[in-house]
Amino acid sequence: MFGGGAGAAGGLAGGRAALPLSRIVVAPPESVHRHFLPWDRPLVPQAVAWLAREWHGAGPLDLGDTLVIVPTRQAGRRLREALAEHAATRGQAAFPPRVTTPEGLLAVETIADAASRLESLLAWTEVLRAAELEEFREVFPVDPPERSFAWAWRLAQQFGRLQATLAEAGLRMSAVAAKAGDISAETARWEQLGELEARYDARLAALGRRDGRAAEFAAIQRMAAPAGVARVVLLAAPDPLPQALGALAAIARSVPVDAVVYAPVEEAAAFDGWGRPRAEAWATRELALPDVGGHVRLCADPSSQAKRGATLARAYGEPEGVLAVGIADAEVLPLVESEFAHAGLAAFNPEGRRRGGEAFHQLLSALMALAREESFAAVAMLARCPDFLEFLHGRLGARFSAAGFLAGLDELHTRHLPPTLAEARRHAADTELAAPLHVVAAVRALARDGEFPENAAAALREIFARRRLDPEHPPEARLADAVQTWSDVMRDVATLRRQFRSVTSMEAWEMALQVFADSVRYEDKAGGAIELSGWLELLWEDAPHLVVAGVNDGRVPDAIVGDAFLPESLRERLGLKTNAARFARDAYILQAIAAARTGGAGSALDLLVGKTSAAGEPLRPSRLLLRCADEELPGRIAQLFRAIEPEGAAPPWRRAWKLHPRRVAPPGRVAVTGLRRWLECPLRFYFSRVLKMEAIDPAKTELDRFDFGTLCHAALEAMGKDDTARELTDESALRDFLVARVEAEARRRFGAELTLPLMVQLASARQRLGRAAAVQAQTRAEGWVIEEVERPFEIDVGGLVVCGKIDRIDRHEGTGARRVLDYKTSDKPVDPAEAHFRAARRAGETVAEFARFELSGKTRVWTDLQLPLYLRALAAEGGAAECGYFNLPKAVGETGIRAWADYSRELDAAAWRCALGVTAAIRAGEFWPPAEWTGREAERDDFAALFLRGAAESVEWEAAR
């Protein structure tokens, strides 16, 4: 970017030794001069006055011959704005200086043969995929599960970061062992890393490229000031990269370089020649922080910090220019933005937003997933993208409903668990899902066929062909910007594929998607918005009241812990930036921002310290807050580690709203299982059996207990209807029959391609049915004949029709006795009596009087009426019968028929009385009060999400009349 290095040779390319930059920058050249701006006043106005000190206002403020290096892009923006305002005070224009960051000073785009970041990552990826890992066991002690592109790409990024870190000291991997000295335990590993790096260099050389950092090293040796630049100013940059200082040292040979330090001149000994805080000077220094007791505020978590910041900002009404907000912990940032928006305060994040969290990235991810494989999960992911739903509406017209489509997909998934799009289309062939799924298949064909990026572009053209984006509408303007960025990424990746032909189409798509996700979208600052500045930008904040969130250890001071390649001891040997240097930098920043707010109207520094992270992990206050006099330390510790005090009286909890269920006429017909539902909870009966509400699990991956029971029932029903099978006493033949039928039912319902969970559950069904075959063979040998299966019945119970199907009716061929059996596939065997009534739990519990009865001198409560009503239905047709369960539990050894041996006339009468009471209540519309479920009941409650702190308190029943 700044001349002089394009044709430079030598340097460190290929691992050859060169003068380490750490040695170059220890002592700045004599032409580098330090200047100090006192920190008891804001930095920006002082910086403007210092840069414009020779301007007298007679003409434009012309700083065009000056190159200013500031720590961040945001600092540069602030400086340019302040210079323009300064010139405007005298009615003049400003020709601003050239402003860049230390990283910008080292940009190597103009070096013709420097590899781009993508080229470097792909070179690493190819080297890693081609390497014989046995040759590099010090680097790869364990083989990865799969040497895929994704594995190599992630590792390439890690190695790229390692190279960038080593570049701080002008080093490459191959030079680490020699530079560090005695690291015997790590020497072999670094030698192998050096060999991998040499192969990486060779791969780039084959393309006519060289590593960008190696190009930087060479360029730095010959760097000169850009044309037209007469002076260079390193302005309040306490932590510039060593390479940048090396470049400045080279530039200083031809033009003067000024290092401007934001600190009083009395502090000169605490800074080196470049204005960096000296680690030894700041390691034990006491920090003068104003009114720590009143302005260090402990907060429970990031959300509490965000609320506290919003509260402080709201107190100003119009806080812009009066209050500034700094963010030391990135975890707090999105919560602060959200809380400010909720409070009606505009916030501006100058760092921008990663596109990885945007809707367009979700659409691209879904398209790529569907192109890779036609899984139903990818279909569901695509279907939940708003842009795709809008496309379907435009394609299918008024007959398409987004809500209906999503509900249909959920139902299809719940019922059939289709693993693929093809299976989903087969199941939906005669439904309203057929048309939209046909469109999904067409889009998949576009995304799958051909090569990237043509296939991705074709799919997107189809989706957006009917869309016209309005640039005046912010959401559509953001979408247009995202589409343009994606187009640029696709073009770059297409160019790279011509160089790296081993990259497949899908790998290229995966790479492009990652690059797009990592790109940043910057927004314009809205009028009156409060800027949310990062820690390194706080020196440039001139608002008198500064609030800093996330002042916790590990964030302030910043620290690197547990680096797999570069532990702290090795960093020190290599001359890399250490945690001690970071500590010094952050101690200085805290001291400077505090000193700037020690006086003056409205001056204040509020430091927000979190007690826990968003995940609930405990956090420590910043060590910097303990840099005080010994006599103050006990009080400071007590303050920082105290329990959080409530901020005023906590308002009582209250509901924002209650459910107002639609009231409809009671049904005239109820399934026999509905009576059990009413006995469990009248309100839940109303929701499920009258309003037809049901819970849908979009993440369902296996059969629930009802699905599993239905699968087994289908095989048992087939046995009962087959004239030959129901007469079998041969256990083996009967087992083969049942297994064949359950497999056929699984294929019919779920298709030929079963997922692993379904395969496991089908194996369980085979096992249970195999044992059931043994019980059935024995039962038939004892003289019991299956007379009917799935016998439908209807019975009038107090004017309400109760209906259902009886799983099975047996008749004994010798005695003529009949029995009713209900199949149970629960985990444990079920006793009929225990399933139908229970003991009264406690005195005064809310139970309808008709549900109570006496048995052996004890009060019992009906919970189910299924078998008693089965018997009543058969009795109405003439003839008595027994009843029981055919249990098929998880422990197959407990499979068997469990009869309700002591079912008596008294029980039958009590059951009938209860049934009449339930049906009378249903006919009268009595669905209140609800039962309050706890424990296991609550765990299986489909409506639990609707009942916060109690069902009765969550529903406005009377108002719904």
Side-chain angles (χ1 to χ4, degrees):
M1 184 174 187
F2 293 111
L12 298 181
R16 294 190 300 275
L19 182 62
L21 291 176
S22 55
R23 296 180 185 175
I24 296 176
V25 300
V26 167
E30 292 182 359
S31 56
V32 175
H33 302 283
R34 285 192 308 173
H35 306 268
F36 291 86
L37 303 177
W39 59 24
D40 60 352
R41 286 170 282 162
L43 167 63
V44 175
Q46 292 190 82
V48 168
W50 188 87
L51 288 170
R53 63 189 182 279
E54 297 177 0
W55 178 64
H56 303 291
L61 173 58
D62 188 359
L63 297 173
D65 64 349
T66 302
L67 172 65
V68 179
I69 302 167
V70 293
T72 65
R73 295 172 62 253
Q74 181 68 358
R77 184 186 65 82
R78 288 176 181 273
L79 179 63
R80 285 190 291 268
E81 289 178 352
L83 286 168
E85 292 172 0
H86 180 65
T89 59
R90 300 191 182 184
Q92 298 291 345
F95 297 102
R98 307 185 196 187
V99 181
T100 189
T101 63
E103 293 80 2
L105 184 68
L106 297 169
V108 296
E109 288 86 349
T110 56
I111 301 178
D113 62 346
S116 68
R117 178 174 179 270
L118 275 180
E119 286 175 326
S120 295
L121 288 173
L122 280 173
W124 267 121
T125 300
E126 285 196 352
V127 166
L128 292 168
R129 295 183 78 177
E132 291 291 340
L133 298 190
E134 286 296 333
E135 300 178 27
F136 301 96
R137 280 306 176 199
E138 296 298 323
V139 180
F140 307 103
V142 178
D143 287 348
E146 181 184 8
R147 293 185 64 182
S148 62
F149 176 82
W151 166 80
W153 178 259
R154 286 193 300 270
L155 202 54
Q157 292 176 306
Q158 185 176 359
F159 281 3
R161 289 190 294 269
L162 177 59
Q163 286 180 309
T165 302
L166 291 172
E168 293 178 10
L171 296 172
R172 304 197 73 208
M173 293 179 182
S174 56
V176 168
K179 169 70 174 175
D182 182 17
I183 52 170
S184 55
E186 292 291 316
T187 299
R189 184 161 72 141
W190 282 105
E191 288 174 349
Q192 292 182 8
L193 286 169
E195 173 58 28
L196 287 170
E197 188 177 54
R199 296 184 184 187
Y200 154 80
D201 287 333
R203 182 66 186 95
L204 286 179
L207 300 172
R209 291 282 193 258
R210 57 175 167 155
D211 178 65
R213 296 171 193 86
E216 281 182 12
F217 299 156
I220 287 170
Q221 309 295 324
R222 304 167 62 105
M223 186 165 282
V229 169
R231 64 171 177 163
V232 177
V233 178
L234 180 63
L235 182 56
D239 191 28
L241 294 174
Q243 306 100 298
L245 298 184
L248 283 175
I251 291 173
R253 293 193 293 260
S254 56
V255 298
V257 174
D258 294 307
V260 179
V261 186
Y262 182 43
V265 69
E266 294 80 11
E267 296 282 351
F271 298 87
D272 69 8
W274 294 106
R276 297 180 298 178
R278 294 184 184 276
E280 62 275 12
W282 292 88
T284 58
R285 174 176 176 147
E286 294 179 11
L287 301 182
L289 304 179
D291 191 14
V292 173
H295 290 279
V296 173
R297 304 172 184 263
L298 295 184
C299 302
D301 51 27
S303 178
S304 298
Q305 294 185 60
K307 287 182 172 62
R308 178 64 69 92
T311 299
L312 292 169
R314 255 199 320 266
Y316 286 101
E318 295 182 359
E320 185 187 20
V322 181
L323 177 137
V325 177
I327 308 293
D329 184 352
E331 186 181 57
V332 182
L333 177 59
L335 295 172
V336 171
E337 290 182 290
S338 176
E339 192 63 37
F340 272 48
H342 181 72
L345 299 168
F348 172 66
N349 177 11
E351 295 298 316
R353 303 174 191 274
R354 287 183 69 255
R355 297 189 189 275
E358 296 181 348
F360 187 66
H361 176 261
Q362 298 302 112
L363 176 65
L364 294 175
S365 299
L367 281 174
M368 185 183 75
L370 192 60
R372 180 187 288 121
E373 57 179 0
E374 58 163 354
S375 68
F376 184 81
V379 174
M381 182 180 175
L382 183 63
R384 285 167 172 77
C385 294
D387 291 316
F388 191 77
L389 288 174
E390 187 168 342
F391 157 64
L392 286 177
H393 186 271
R395 179 74 174 269
L396 300 175
R399 59 178 174 153
F400 175 77
S401 162
F405 175 54
L406 294 176
L409 281 182
D410 286 341
E411 183 178 355
L412 179 70
H413 173 63
T414 299
R415 179 168 177 75
H416 298 290
L417 293 176
T420 64
L421 172 60
E423 282 296 307
R425 295 184 67 191
R426 184 176 70 82
H427 290 300
D430 299 321
T431 71
E432 293 182 355
L433 291 176
L437 288 180
H438 174 77
V439 176
V440 171
V443 170
R444 179 180 186 263
L446 290 172
R448 179 195 59 195
D449 296 342
E451 292 292 311
F452 184 86
E454 289 79 11
N455 52 358
L460 289 173
R461 279 196 299 270
E462 176 67 14
I463 292 171
F464 289 101
R466 296 167 179 80
R467 290 278 297 276
R468 295 294 179 268
L469 301 180
D470 181 4
E472 300 301 320
H473 186 49
E476 294 191 359
R478 287 194 292 269
L479 175 59
D481 179 64
V483 171
Q484 182 59 55
T485 301
W486 174 245
S487 298
D488 295 340
V489 171
M490 287 196 299
R491 183 185 63 250
D492 292 343
V493 172
T495 301
L496 286 173
R497 286 198 69 196
R498 291 191 286 271
Q499 297 174 298
F500 297 88
R501 299 187 180 277
S502 64
V503 178
T504 68
S505 179
M506 191 52 62
E507 291 169 351
W509 194 332
E510 185 177 346
M511 175 177 61
L513 188 62
Q514 182 63 56
V515 172
F516 177 78
D518 290 339
S519 65
V520 177
R521 173 174 59 83
Y522 296 99
E523 295 181 336
D524 294 332
K525 181 183 176 183
I530 300 173
E531 294 185 3
L532 306 179
S533 302
W535 175 253
L536 296 180
E537 294 170 342
L538 296 186
L539 294 177
W540 294 78
E541 280 290 358
D542 53 9
H545 188 176
L546 176 61
V547 179
V548 185
V551 186
N552 288 94
D553 220 35
R555 283 75 169 173
V556 178
D558 183 22
I560 294 179
V561 180
D563 190 300
F565 291 101
L566 295 170
E568 187 72 1
S569 60
L570 183 56
R571 286 174 177 272
E572 291 180 5
R573 292 190 180 197
L574 296 177
L576 298 173
K577 186 189 302 181
T578 62
N579 287 335
R582 292 183 179 87
F583 183 96
R585 178 200 66 194
D586 292 343
Y588 156 66
I589 291 175
L590 180 58
Q591 180 62 83
I593 62 177
R597 292 164 179 85
T598 54
S603 291
L605 174 64
D606 282 295
L607 304 176
L608 308 185
V609 180
K611 295 283 281 185
T612 66
S613 68
E617 298 173 350
L619 298 175
R620 296 188 304 271
S622 170
R623 286 172 288 158
L624 299 180
L625 299 177
L626 299 175
R627 289 297 176 188
C628 57
D630 290 346
E631 59 271 18
E632 296 180 32
L633 187 58
R636 189 78 64 88
I637 291 174
Q639 176 193 358
L640 293 174
F641 291 91
R642 73 183 188 275
I644 298 178
E645 301 168 1
E647 300 179 18
W653 184 89
R654 63 184 180 85
R655 296 176 191 281
W657 47 269
K658 288 188 177 184
L659 289 173
H660 292 75
R662 178 170 53 94
R663 299 297 292 273
V664 300
R669 183 185 183 90
V670 174
V672 67
T673 53
L675 303 189
R676 179 180 69 239
R677 190 64 161 159
W678 191 96
L679 288 168
E680 288 178 334
C681 175
L683 182 63
R684 290 175 176 84
F685 169 90
Y686 182 76
F687 282 171
S688 61
R689 301 305 174 100
V690 181
L691 296 183
K692 307 299 183 184
M693 295 172 64
E694 62 178 335
I696 295 293
D697 180 9
K700 181 178 177 182
T701 59
E702 60 185 14
L703 306 180
D704 58 30
R705 56 194 179 97
F706 300 109
D707 293 331
F708 186 79
T710 300
L711 185 65
C712 294
H713 273 60
L716 295 166
E717 178 186 352
M719 176 190 70
K721 289 181 176 180
D722 188 281
D723 293 338
T724 301
R726 65 187 179 190
E727 295 295 331
L728 289 173
T729 57
D730 183 338
E731 175 186 341
S732 177
L734 196 52
R735 181 175 58 250
D736 291 343
F737 178 91
L738 289 172
V739 169
R741 291 303 182 274
V742 78
E743 290 177 345
E745 175 63 14
R747 285 193 300 272
R748 183 193 70 79
R749 184 169 176 183
F750 305 112
E753 300 179 25
L754 300 183
T755 61
L756 181 58
L758 282 179
M759 293 171 65
V760 172
Q761 290 182 303
L762 181 57
S764 176
R766 292 193 198 99
Q767 188 178 35
R768 296 194 196 196
L769 291 170
R771 180 56 186 162
V775 174
Q776 172 60 28
Q778 178 63 31
T779 298
R780 181 64 191 92
E782 292 172 355
W784 288 99
V785 178
I786 298 176
E787 191 175 69
E788 292 184 83
V789 294
E790 295 296 312
R791 162 73 180 275
F793 76 90
E794 292 184 355
I795 182 173
D796 185 290
V797 183
L800 184 70
V801 176
V802 177
C803 57
K805 289 183 179 181
I806 302 173
D807 285 350
R808 170 171 165 172
I809 303 172
D810 285 2
R811 176 181 49 81
H812 195 279
E813 57 187 357
T815 65
R818 302 173 78 198
R819 70 181 179 189
V820 171
L821 293 178
D822 196 59
Y823 292 118
K824 292 294 181 185
T825 54
S826 51
D827 286 349
K828 297 180 180 180
V830 182
D831 180 80
E834 293 176 359
H836 281 75
F837 58 80
R838 61 171 173 84
R841 288 178 181 147
R842 56 188 177 273
E845 68 173 341
T846 305
V847 175
E849 183 57 34
F850 53 75
R852 297 175 180 270
F853 68 99
E854 296 295 319
L855 181 65
S856 301
K858 297 181 179 180
T859 302
R860 297 288 187 265
V861 176
W862 287 105
T863 57
D864 196 357
L865 300 168
Q866 187 175 22
L867 289 180
L869 288 182
Y870 283 174
L871 297 180
R872 280 272 175 167
L874 290 181
E877 300 173 4
E882 302 170 356
C883 61
Y885 288 152
F886 194 132
N887 283 306
L888 293 84
K890 183 182 292 185
V892 294
E894 297 178 323
T895 300
I897 295 173
R898 187 169 297 189
W900 195 343
D902 56 353
Y903 187 75
S904 63
R905 291 192 178 194
E906 290 76 16
L907 276 176
D908 186 66
W912 183 249
R913 174 174 169 268
C914 182
L916 289 172
V918 173
T919 56
I922 293 173
R923 291 181 64 204
E926 295 178 8
F927 306 115
W928 194 265
E932 301 296 350
W933 287 1
T934 58
R936 292 185 177 180
E937 287 180 327
E939 290 176 3
R940 63 180 178 83
D941 185 7
D942 289 343
F943 300 100
L946 304 179
F947 301 150
L948 183 62
R949 298 196 181 186
E953 291 298 319
S954 302
V955 178
E956 190 66 54
W957 182 253
E958 292 303 320
R961 291 186 181 277

